[in-house]
Amino acid sequence: MAQVKELYDAILNGNAKQAHVSTVAALAGGADPMELISGSMVPAMDEVGKLYEAEEYFVPELLLAGRAMKSAMELLKPLLVASGQRMATRVVIGTVKGDLHDIGKNIVASMLEGSGFEVIDLGADVSSEAFVAAVKERKPQFVCLSALLTVTMPSMKTTIDALGNAGLRTQVKVLVGGAPVTMQYANEIGADGYSENASGAVGLIRRLLEGA
Ligand code: B12
């Protein structure tokens, strides 16, 4: 479908208007929202990341690509939620303190919502105190922590420790993710799970719910 490629190009070129138009057209043509995210939007952001690393893209291009991604995601999110089956599982998610990267976290949140989980998104640069308060108030079964910077990875451990100090650690499973995070790091800081991508996060939560 031509619009799938158009959406990829729109994100790569940071064209939010075109991303919106292509998403509307792709949906009208019968495209699956989840397929648009994993087949078009995530690969486009991956390419943006590579271009940034190759110093062909700079911060303004990154921000524009993120905005284009958001404009498409705004159209897809309600559809993902509508197609998902509501379950009594609540997830609190956020990017940890000091870290403003929220694109991957937003994808994980959308896919979890689309899979029927109730998601409470605390946003980016979230302190351990804010995670603790959200767990106390909203009583989720899962807390998802995202970090994209090596310097903010320790905030994941701070958050896990804060949940322990507040006597809440046994009430929630903590999952971690983000480009620099590894399974080994997850084990080191006492997380309950790690996945390298959003669909893996959905599978992980399902497995943990089944007690596997
Ligand atoms: C976009 C971007 C930005 C944007 C962020 C916009 C936004 N709203 O998010 C802006 C321009 C603001 C930015 C700023 C900075 N950035 Co930046 N950024 C990126 C970039 C290009 C892409 C990140 C991204 O969105 N990837 C796409 C998403 C879909 O992937 P993802 O986040 O990894 O998420 C997936 C998985 O990891 C997983 N996942 C994510 N979270 C979770 C959580 C759980 C629980 C689970 C299970 C899974 C999971 O699922 C997601 C979907 O599949 C990366 C380069 C790269 N290749 O990653 C650099 C990068 C992360 N940035 C970097 C840096 C250094 C910075 C700055 C410090 C730059 C500066 N000098 O100011 C600032 C930091 C600001 C701050 N305090 O946070 C470095 C980090 C280096 C490091 N090792 O620490 C990178 C790697 C670039 C580089 N090579 O230098 N950045």
Side-chain angles (χ1 to χ4, degrees):
M1 193 189 285
Q3 291 89 0
V4 174
K5 171 79 170 74
E6 271 175 29
L7 177 56
Y8 176 93
D9 289 340
I11 292 175
L12 194 60
N13 298 326
N15 187 336
K17 211 169 171 182
Q18 185 58 49
H20 181 98
V21 170
S22 304
T23 307
V24 170
L27 291 172
D32 173 37
M34 204 72 106
E35 185 52 41
L36 286 179
I37 294 172
S38 57
S40 214
M41 294 160 67
V42 172
M45 270 325 287
D46 282 347
E47 185 58 24
V48 169
K50 283 181 195 149
L51 289 168
Y52 180 73
E53 274 159 32
E55 296 186 2
E56 287 180 43
Y57 269 19
F58 299 95
V59 172
E61 284 88 356
L62 296 186
L63 291 173
L64 289 172
R67 215 171 64 181
M69 176 102 179
K70 205 169 166 194
S71 80
M73 197 55 111
E74 273 161 11
L75 291 165
L76 299 177
K77 210 169 153 181
L79 300 175
L80 291 173
V81 174
S83 68
Q85 218 188 340
R86 278 267 149 240
M87 293 199 308
T89 303
R90 191 172 288 165
V91 182
V92 160
I93 190 168
T95 304
V96 294
K97 190 169 170 57
D99 201 323
L100 300 175
H101 295 86
D102 66 357
I103 296 169
K105 183 267 297 168
N106 292 345
I107 294 175
V108 174
S110 299
M111 284 219 182
L112 289 174
E113 278 186 346
S115 305
F117 301 107
E118 183 186 343
V119 177
I120 297 147
D121 187 347
L122 302 182
D125 190 17
V126 181
S127 67
S128 56
E129 294 84 0
F131 277 110
V132 167
V135 170
K136 275 188 189 153
E137 280 163 31
R138 310 300 299 269
K139 303 198 176 1
Q141 289 93 328
F142 294 91
V143 173
C144 287
L145 306 177
S146 182
L148 263 286
L149 298 171
T150 43
V151 289
T152 56
M153 283 165 67
S155 299
M156 292 179 150
K157 177 163 168 28
T158 309
T159 304
I160 292 175
D161 291 348
L163 288 168
N165 293 337
L168 299 166
R169 186 66 188 92
T170 53
Q171 294 173 30
V172 286
K173 298 259 187 250
V174 180
L175 311 186
V176 293
V181 182
T182 60
M183 189 70 229
Q184 191 192 338
Y185 185 72
N187 289 334
E188 273 169 32
I189 62 171
D192 299 296
Y194 156 81
S195 167
E196 64 176 14
N197 57 44
S199 50
V202 173
L204 186 57
I205 290 191
R206 288 202 173 124
R207 283 198 301 282
L208 287 167
L209 281 171
E210 286 160 10

